[in-house]
Each structure stands twice: as structure tokens, then as C-alpha cells.
Amino acid sequence: MKKLSQVINERLANSNSSEYVTISYRPSHKIAAMIDVMCDIYGQNKANLFYDKIGELLSEYLLTSKESIPLIKKTAEEYSEDELSRSCIGALMERGTLSIDWPQDEKIRQQIVDALKG
């Protein structure tokens, strides 16, 4: 995981894109075999095995700059809590770094309040 976090941090630091960054990592044959064994043991596919760790690393990266605040806010407003739960924003929420009230849309919020009143 240390190598993966180094690759992610290097790629993000060297990126010129303000929109998104695609990161591709190809492990050695020995590491790939170990990953296959871990997937069999945990009963997960390769993407799910690393999904939470990548979200955690990205959340740590977001906290390194004030420039990330508008991106975090925009993302949190566009997606529901369920959609963000296994993302880097979800990792921030899980650690208590970020707190968001859902739903963001006042109309939906009022519909929920009305429905609860009966």
C-alpha cells in the first residue's frame, strides 16, 4: 500500500488538470499474485479490495490544500450520503473531518418533513 500511496501522490502532484486525474498502476508479478490470493481469501474482486484504501488516500490528499474546499463542497452537494459512503468524501465523513446535512435540496427536505408530519 505504501507504494500505491506514493504513486497516487506523485501523479496528483504532477497533474496539470483541474478537472480530474486518471491513475494507472501495474504491480509486479509477485505483487499481482499476492493480490490474487488476497482476493480469494477475502472473496472480493481486485477493485473492491483497494477501493476503500484509495478513497482514504485521496481524502488525505484533499486535506493538504485549501483549494480542495470548493471541490469537496460541490461534490457533497451533488451526491447523496449513500453515494459518497465509499468515496474519499465518505472517508472524510467517517473520520469526523466533514459533516454534511442531507438532503441538500430544500424542496426535498420539505417533502420529507411534510411526509413525517403525516
Side-chain angles (χ1 to χ4, degrees), residues 59 62-63 68-77 79-81 84-85 87-102 104:
S59 70
L62 285 174
L63 294 176
S68 300
I69 294 171
L71 174 63
I72 293 170
K73 184 178 178 184
K74 179 182 176 200
T75 303
E77 289 173 349
Y79 296 93
S80 71
E81 186 172 9
L84 294 174
S85 64
S87 69
C88 61
I89 305 295
L92 292 172
M93 293 173 1
E94 190 173 300
R95 284 191 301 229
T97 307
L98 177 65
S99 177
I100 301 168
D101 293 324
W102 270 282
Q104 296 293 338

Side-chain angles (χ1 to χ4, degrees), residues 19-92:
E19 293 295 318
Y20 63 90
V21 176
T22 301
I23 297 173
S24 178
Y25 175 71
R26 188 174 307 261
S28 68
H29 294 294
K30 289 180 182 179
I31 300 294
M34 182 188 67
I35 290 170
D36 286 339
V37 169
M38 289 175 63
C39 288
D40 288 342
I41 290 170
Y42 293 114
Q44 296 181 344
N45 64 36
K46 291 178 182 110
N48 285 342
L49 189 65
F50 294 101
Y51 194 81
D52 293 332
K53 185 62 177 175
I54 290 171
E56 184 180 319
L57 292 171
L58 289 174
S59 70
E60 290 172 9
Y61 179 79
L62 285 174
L63 294 176
T64 62
S65 172
K66 290 180 184 178
E67 295 170 356
S68 300
I69 294 171
L71 174 63
I72 293 170
K73 184 178 178 184
K74 179 182 176 200
T75 303
E77 289 173 349
E78 290 180 6
Y79 296 93
S80 71
E81 186 172 9
D82 288 339
E83 291 171 314
L84 294 174
S85 64
R86 293 191 66 210
S87 69
C88 61
I89 305 295
L92 292 172

